[in-house]
Amino acid sequence: MADLEAAKINHDNHLLLDQSCMRLPYELLRQNFRSFHLPFDKGSNSVKDLLKETANGSLNGKVSPEDVVKNLDQMLAKMRGLKRKLAVAADEEDRLYRQMDARVAHMRELASLNTVDDVKYEGWSRQRLDRLLVDYMLRHGYGSSAAALADAREMQDLVDIDTFATMSRIRTSLERGSVQEALAWCAENKKELRKMQSNLEFLLRCQQYIEMMRTGVHSQMLEAINHAKKHIIPYSDTYPVEVSFMAGLLACQPNTHLEPYASLYSSSRWETLADAFVEAYLKLLNLPMTPLLHIALSSGLSALKTPACHSTQSQGADQPADGTSSTTTTNDNNTAAASSSSSSSSAPQRHPPHHHGTASLTTRVCPICSTELNALARNVRYAHHSKSRLLDHDLVLLPNGRVYGRARLDEYAAKSGLPPGQVKDLVTGEVYPASELRKVYAT
């Protein structure tokens, strides 16, 4: 019964990880509408005003026929421009709707599955892993590799290559010392950034000012003062400390060692600006700052982690101070989820176990204790189980503190050629008399 319950798919938890995949097309649709709505209104109103002016002038005789023809040509040119813009917007909408259909179908496929034992679940989970890998590569600038993987798996509509390509291009321009593309992006999303209370545009304007001051040329410094009056002073109520630092920069040379002006002139500010842009970009699209692969991996590590997983590293020796095993296995989760009888809990250990090679044996069994994942799992939360799962019905406690099913111990002892009345620890290989086993009752 416990195996069936553990194998059951929790669809809600899957949606928690994939919600950004479903949400992003809607955010991009809203952004696409905003980007074309205002220019279209301005263009259409301009055509209407010109048409009204031409018609009234023609009726009143104030506009010559040549001017009427000229105005009609202008209106036709504007309407052709509006048509081209609308065509671009319509193509983008079609692409986003196609993405939405593909992603809904992808999640509908999961909804039709009930257990992880279903043969279709392996293919679905493999495709999700590919999506997470593409997301990770896009966030770290490996756009070509991400596109190649998406093409090879034929899942272009399930990933957001164009969205992250734009982010990567602007981030790269900032790292190379240019703020023009980032400022253009801020202008396109000015209203949304203001609602978010983002300071990205202010930081970019300050960097422009700093670069003008860095030259030391008199004309550039005068231009920097005018730039500050126009783009920095208006933020004096919002960022008074930063604005005062910008003013103080007038009295400091680029080679100054006085803080905070030395830090303001530092080239590392470009990396800070790039990080600030990425944060604002992802927040605007409601995307998590952490790669989805890290979120999924952390969840899996947390589900397996117990306090014993890092006991070997924290003790600094193979044998802990209390004489118990230093690492954990799947059966350690059974130990955490079970309680022994009062007689067994007070029973003395008459045969202190020997732990030669215990850590090396256990690391081949427990993923958290492995060399590859031990350091990565150190900062994730411990597993929390509200009730015992996947427990054998005949649990017994060995003198070394480990818990196994009695049938498994007897089967392993028989395979190991032990005489009757003796059992062998499945992990450490320690041998104990069967009389020293204590019954354990699951809670």
Side-chain angles (χ1 to χ4, degrees):
M1 187 67 178
D3 292 340
L4 293 176
E5 186 177 356
K8 186 177 180 180
I9 297 176
N10 190 323
H11 297 90
D12 292 339
N13 287 343
H14 280 74
L15 288 175
L16 287 176
L17 182 63
D18 294 316
Q19 60 179 332
S20 61
C21 174
M22 300 295 296
R23 182 189 299 162
L24 184 57
Y26 292 96
E27 297 293 338
L28 294 177
L29 276 172
R30 292 175 59 249
Q31 192 177 80
N32 182 65
F33 175 78
R34 291 195 308 267
S35 63
F36 285 95
H37 177 66
L38 186 59
F40 177 78
D41 283 347
K42 289 183 177 180
S44 61
N45 290 335
S46 176
V47 172
K48 291 177 183 178
D49 293 340
L50 184 58
L51 177 61
K52 184 177 180 180
E53 180 183 349
T54 303
N56 292 335
S58 178
L59 292 175
N60 297 333
K62 296 180 179 180
V63 180
S64 65
E66 292 79 7
D67 292 335
V68 171
V69 173
K70 184 178 179 181
N71 290 343
L72 288 175
D73 290 339
Q74 290 181 4
M75 286 186 282
L76 288 173
K78 289 183 179 181
M79 286 188 289
R80 291 192 187 100
L82 289 175
K83 183 180 178 180
R84 286 193 297 270
K85 292 180 180 180
L86 288 176
V88 173
D91 292 341
E92 180 66 11
E93 282 190 359
D94 290 341
R95 184 183 71 85
L96 293 173
Y97 282 129
R98 187 172 64 251
Q99 281 190 354
M100 291 167 57
D101 291 341
R103 297 178 188 200
V104 169
H106 179 64
M107 299 309 298
R108 187 185 297 119
E109 183 181 355
L110 173 66
S112 65
L113 306 176
N114 295 318
T115 65
V116 296
D117 298 327
D118 194 316
V119 66
K120 294 182 179 179
Y121 180 76
E122 182 178 356
W124 187 91
S125 60
R126 170 60 61 180
Q127 189 174 43
R128 184 179 67 169
L129 176 59
D130 291 335
R131 287 196 297 106
L132 299 183
L133 291 173
V134 170
D135 174 83
Y136 179 85
M137 288 188 287
L138 288 173
R139 288 171 179 266
H140 290 79
Y142 303 108
S144 300
S145 299
L149 179 58
D151 292 339
R153 299 292 189 266
E154 297 181 353
M155 57 177 188
Q156 294 87 347
D157 291 333
L158 298 180
V159 294
D160 306 288
I161 294 178
D162 293 339
T163 301
F164 282 98
T166 301
M167 183 189 77
S168 180
R169 186 185 72 252
I170 299 177
R171 179 180 60 189
T172 302
S173 68
L174 286 171
E175 292 173 345
R176 292 177 178 175
S178 174
V179 299
Q180 301 305 321
E181 290 191 52
L183 284 173
W185 180 83
C186 289
E188 294 175 1
N189 302 275
K190 192 177 187 69
K191 185 177 180 180
E192 289 69 30
L193 291 173
R194 188 183 298 114
K195 290 180 180 178
M196 291 165 42
Q197 297 182 348
S198 173
N199 66 342
L200 177 62
E201 183 177 359
F202 173 72
L203 294 177
L204 295 173
R205 295 298 185 184
C206 288
Q207 191 63 34
Q208 281 185 308
Y209 172 81
I210 292 171
E211 295 306 313
M212 294 177 190
M213 295 297 300
R214 191 191 304 274
T215 62
V217 180
H218 182 69
S219 59
Q220 286 288 316
M221 295 180 70
L222 291 177
E223 186 177 348
I225 294 174
N226 294 329
H227 174 85
K229 290 179 180 179
K230 182 178 179 180
H231 297 292
I232 298 179
I233 298 301
Y235 290 95
S236 57
D237 293 336
T238 309
Y239 309 108
V241 177
E242 290 80 359
V243 171
S244 66
F245 288 161
M246 293 297 109
L249 207 64
L250 288 168
C252 297
Q253 297 295 324
N255 58 356
T256 182
H257 297 289
L258 181 65
E259 292 293 345
Y261 306 108
S263 298
L264 292 176
Y265 277 121
S266 174
S267 59
S268 63
R269 276 183 58 85
W270 289 108
E271 187 69 28
T272 303
L273 285 175
D275 294 339
F277 164 74
V278 170
E279 181 179 357
Y281 188 90
L282 295 177
K283 187 177 180 179
L284 182 67
L285 296 177
N286 284 319
L287 293 175
M289 286 294 297
T290 305
L292 298 178
L293 182 63
H294 286 182
I295 297 175
L297 187 58
S298 298
S299 300
L301 293 175
S302 179
L304 298 173
K305 183 180 177 182
T306 66
C309 288
H310 293 92
S311 60
T312 302
Q313 287 77 5
S314 60
Q315 292 286 347
D318 289 341
Q319 183 175 350
D322 59 357
T324 58
S325 179
S326 61
T327 51
T328 186
T329 64
T330 305
N331 296 286
D332 290 324
N333 293 329
N334 295 346
T335 305
S339 60
S340 62
S341 62
S342 59
S343 60
S344 64
S345 61
S346 61
Q349 296 185 9
R350 289 175 288 177
H351 299 279
H354 299 283
H355 297 278
H356 300 294
T358 299
S360 61
L361 287 171
T362 309
T363 53
R364 292 198 295 266
V365 180
C366 175
I368 309 301
C369 297
S370 66
T371 306
E372 296 80 6
L373 297 179
N374 189 267
L376 185 62
R378 186 174 296 275
N379 295 323
V380 302
R381 295 175 179 270
Y382 292 117
H384 172 72
H385 303 287
S386 58
K387 59 181 179 180
S388 301
R389 292 183 178 181
L390 302 176
L391 297 178
D392 295 327
H393 68 281
D394 54 350
L395 295 176
V396 291
L397 177 70
L398 271 64
N400 64 357
R402 293 182 175 272
V403 176
Y404 301 96
R406 180 59 185 268
R408 294 175 61 196
L409 288 174
D410 292 341
E411 180 183 0
Y412 189 59
K415 290 181 179 180
S416 302
L418 296 179
Q422 289 187 341
V423 295
K424 188 176 183 179
D425 191 306
L426 275 65
V427 175
T428 65
E430 300 166 77
V431 178
Y432 299 98
S435 59
E436 296 188 1
L437 303 183
R438 303 299 181 191
K439 180 67 177 177
V440 173
Y441 302 94
T443 57

